[in-house]
Amino acid sequence: MDPSLQPMMTYKILFWNVLCDQYSYDWKTAPKIELKYKVWEYRSKLFQSLFNDKKTSSDIYCFVEVDKQYELFDMINNKNENKNLFDVVYFPRPNTPFGIMCVYNKYKFKLISSVKFLLGENINQNFALCAIFQEKMYPFSYFAVLATHLTAWDKNEKIRIKQVNNLIYCIKNDITIKQ
C-alpha cells in the first residue's frame, strides 16, 4: 500500500510531570503547595483516577521526574480493560533516582528504537527520551515521540534555549532517527 494513501490515524498522548519525591519536598520547587498534597500516597490516588477515567485514557503516556516507574506502569497496565496492553521505555537521569518514561499501547505500536539525548555538559544534566514507533495497522507509518524536561524557572530561559538547540542538533544528526 502506498503510504500516502493511508488514512490519518488519531492517537491520544498524555504528558505529565510526576514530581519525584526528591523535588516534591523541596520548598524552593513548590513553595505554595501544602505538604499533604506532595506526598506520593496522595498523588498516586490522583494518578490512579486519571488512568481510570475514559476521557483521559491514552495510547501513549509520557512522564518526567519519574522515581516510581514500576508503580506508574502497574497503574496503567493493570486496569481491568488494559491488562498487559502497554509496554514501557524508561531512561534514568544520570546520578539521580528519577528519569523519563514513555508507556505505549503495544498492540497499536511497535517500538523500533529509543534514544536518550543529553542536553547539557555536566553529569547531572537534563535529557530527552526519543521513541521511534511503527503503527502496526499501517506498517509504512512511523513517528517519533519526544519527551523532555528542560531546566526550570524563568531565570533559566537562555539555558532552555541552548537545550532546545542542542536537542534539535541531536535529532538532526542521530543515525537511528535518520534511518
Side-chain angles (χ1 to χ4, degrees):
M1 174 186 238
D2 180 352
S4 65
L5 300 176
Q6 293 179 7
M8 293 297 291
M9 298 302 296
T10 301
Y11 298 110
K12 287 177 72 176
I13 298 176
L14 182 137
F15 182 94
W16 204 279
N17 182 332
V18 176
L19 186 60
C20 65
D21 280 346
Q22 179 178 335
Y23 292 155
S24 67
Y25 297 110
D26 182 353
W27 69 271
K28 292 177 189 172
T29 305
K32 297 180 181 176
I33 300 173
E34 288 183 51
L35 182 60
K36 67 181 180 180
Y37 300 122
K38 296 179 181 185
V39 177
W40 173 250
E41 288 71 25
Y42 175 84
R43 290 183 292 124
S44 67
K45 290 175 187 169
L46 296 176
F47 283 115
Q48 190 69 53
S49 66
L50 178 78
F51 301 144
N52 288 329
D53 186 344
K54 292 193 184 300
K55 291 182 279 188
T56 55
S57 181
S58 298
D59 301 299
I60 297 174
Y61 298 87
C62 295
F63 304 104
V64 295
E65 287 190 25
V66 177
D67 60 352
K68 307 227 182 331
Q69 64 269 29
Y70 302 110
E71 289 179 48
L72 276 173
F73 182 69
D74 285 345
M75 284 182 208
I76 295 169
N77 210 35
N78 290 325
K79 295 189 316 185
N80 289 334
E81 70 267 10
N82 286 349
K83 284 281 188 212
N84 298 315
L85 186 63
F86 292 90
D87 211 342
V88 65
V89 177
Y90 176 79
F91 286 143
R93 182 176 171 187
N95 297 324
T96 66
F98 58 90
I100 296 177
M101 181 171 157
C102 179
V103 179
Y104 61 94
N105 183 322
K106 65 185 177 184
Y107 295 103
K108 289 184 179 182
F109 314 114
K110 176 182 177 185
L111 178 66
I112 301 299
S113 179
S114 58
V115 183
K116 180 179 183 178
F117 297 120
L118 301 177
L119 304 179
E121 296 171 12
N122 71 32
I123 196 68
N124 198 21
Q125 61 201 321
N126 290 43
F127 67 100
L129 179 155
C130 181
I132 312 294
F133 294 102
Q134 178 183 35
E135 292 184 33
K136 288 195 173 181
M137 190 177 221
Y138 301 101
F140 295 107
S141 293
Y142 296 87
F143 65 95
V145 172
L146 185 67
T148 188
H149 184 326
L150 302 176
T151 300
W153 306 106
D154 292 340
K155 66 181 180 183
N156 293 319
E157 189 62 24
K158 289 179 182 175
I159 294 171
R160 282 195 295 277
I161 290 169
K162 284 175 88 172
Q163 290 175 330
V164 169
N165 286 333
N166 190 11
L167 184 56
I168 291 168
Y169 175 83
C170 290
I171 291 169
K172 284 182 178 178
N173 293 291
D174 187 85
I175 293 169
T176 304
I177 293 174
K178 285 182 179 182
Q179 292 174 347

